[in-house]
Amino acid sequence: MKVLVVGGAGYIGSHVAKALMQSGHTVTVFDNLSSGQKINLFSQNVFVEGNILDYKALCQAMKGHDAVVHLAAKKAVGESMENPMLYSVNNISGSINILNAMVETGAKYLVFSSSAAVYGMPDKSLIDENTPLNPINYYGFTKLEIEKFMQWYDQLKNIKFVALRYFNAVGYDADGDIRGKEINSQNLLPIIMEVLSGKRSELKIFGNDYPTPDGTCIRDYIHVSDLASAHVLALEKLAQGMASQSLNLGTGKGTSVKEMVEAVEKVSGRKVPVVYAPRRAGDPAILIASADKARSLLGWKPAYTDICKIVQTVYSIN
Ligand code: UD1
């Protein structure tokens, strides 16, 4: 297929572009380089620098493509609560432009990067797709609204989609083919790496009084290359006639903040200085994906299930 990867110079998008090309698809990357980086492009990619808010440029780039993978979004939860306007425009208006451009250019299949944030603070810790959708931050709200727009465009304009609800994306391409380290990430593993590199003096662990075995929050960390392979399978299944779907992507295995610190210490052979800080607002104690639906519908299986192996891949970029 000819696939337009919107946001393909970013952290997850560049891994998706690589996986698509490895499976024999032709990739055009469309990215405004606001958080994506030129260093993440492959020589086989056609690259179009552009913004999804520029509808004409988007249609121009999309012309002749069968499918779109859409990963262009703002994704900082805290920022979304302070500046919702940025998220309304970039995430919601940008996605509407993509859907409209698909109708205009005849692209049929869409894979969209959604998030576990659509579930909010679920009252159970193992989350399947039937868990009530109840985002507690504006970022998660935008992802859920876009899923709803896609359902309407499926019904009214026959655009077939898969919304992939990522749990916690981590790691880097193990072959070292993707060279741009994520910039200014506010997530746990990149912050721990900044402590090791001396950029930060210590890791603040947000809360050690949660109802978990070691008192720290548990998350489902999924390797970015496993996320990428799911995008390829989702597109291929859509082209074979699969109905539109929302699917969780996670390993089904939880890792606590303390266990993540221990994994980094084991892999690096160095001590990570930590201090305990109060709980961060809006952090559920445990979030683990049931990804059985993705496994059965896509035939997808994460290759990385060992947190130390995931941490090792971070060194492929340092
Ligand atoms: C959140 C979002 C997710 C989004 C992701 C990337 C929700 C439910 N999840 O994940 O959708 O894709 O951010 O922006 O909104 N921690 C510390 N110290 C730190 C940093 C993190 O203790 O300095 C802890 C957090 O409290 C949390 C865990 O590490 O328990 C993971 O945090 P983080 O990497 O920020 O991801 P989430 O908040 O789980």
Side-chain angles (χ1 to χ4, degrees), residues 75 77 115 117 137 139 168 186-188 191 203-206 217 219 221 257 280 283 287:
K75 62 150 204 164
V77 170
S115 168
N137 52 59
Y139 162 74
N168 291 63
Q186 299 303 313
N187 296 114
L188 178 63
I191 287 175
L203 170 73
K204 286 192 178 68
I205 294 185
F206 300 137
C217 285
R219 294 288 179 272
Y221 295 93
V257 178
R280 189 173 67 173
D283 264 346
L287 283 179

Side-chain angles (χ1 to χ4, degrees), residues 60-257:
Q60 187 69 34
M62 201 181 285
K63 234 179 250 164
H65 290 81
D66 311 291
V68 177
V69 180
H70 170 27
L71 314 102
K74 293 274 169 198
K75 62 150 204 164
V77 170
E79 182 188 53
S80 77
M81 301 297 275
E82 281 153 27
N83 190 356
M85 299 76 81
L86 196 62
Y87 285 71
S88 304
V89 172
N90 281 279
N91 294 9
I92 296 183
S93 305
S95 296
I96 292 173
N97 275 351
I98 286 176
L99 284 165
N100 288 347
M102 290 181 73
V103 174
E104 190 166 327
T105 63
K108 289 189 179 68
Y109 310 113
L110 174 61
V111 175
F112 170 64
S113 47
S114 188
S115 168
V118 297
Y119 298 112
M121 289 271 246
D123 52 16
K124 54 182 181 178
S125 46
L126 187 65
I127 298 159
D128 65 20
E129 292 81 355
N130 296 321
T131 305
L133 299 168
N134 207 359
I136 56 159
N137 52 59
Y138 197 73
Y139 162 74
F141 165 77
T142 64
K143 292 289 176 182
L144 182 55
E145 291 309 293
I146 298 159
E147 289 198 18
K148 291 179 191 165
F149 283 117
M150 293 194 299
Q151 283 161 8
W152 278 107
Y153 275 71
D154 176 13
Q155 207 179 307
L156 303 174
K157 289 289 165 190
N158 210 25
I159 303 279
K160 297 295 165 198
F161 74 87
V162 175
L164 295 173
R165 294 175 180 161
Y166 310 156
F167 280 62
N168 291 63
V170 282
Y172 283 99
D173 175 55
D175 304 329
D177 288 340
I178 289 157
R179 291 179 297 135
K181 211 196 293 188
E182 215 190 349
I183 298 163
N184 282 332
S185 172
Q186 299 303 313
N187 296 114
L188 178 63
L189 187 52
I191 287 175
I192 298 177
M193 298 312 291
E194 285 184 8
V195 174
L196 280 189
S197 72
K199 203 171 159 194
R200 291 176 190 247
S201 55
E202 67 216 357
L203 170 73
K204 286 192 178 68
I205 294 185
F206 300 137
N208 62 347
D209 57 351
Y210 282 98
T212 60
D214 66 19
T216 65
C217 285
I218 293 177
R219 294 288 179 272
D220 186 336
Y221 295 93
I222 167 95
H223 193 272
V224 64
S225 299
D226 285 327
L227 288 182
S229 67
H231 291 71
V232 180
L233 292 169
L235 265 191
E236 291 173 349
K237 291 286 175 188
L238 284 176
Q240 288 162 19
M242 184 179 77
S244 295
Q245 307 284 339
S246 292
L247 301 174
N248 287 347
L249 292 182
T251 62
K253 210 177 134 190
T255 302
S256 73
V257 178

Side-chain angles (χ1 to χ4, degrees), residues 21 68 277 286 299 317:
M21 289 189 297
V68 177
I286 307 177
I317 198 149

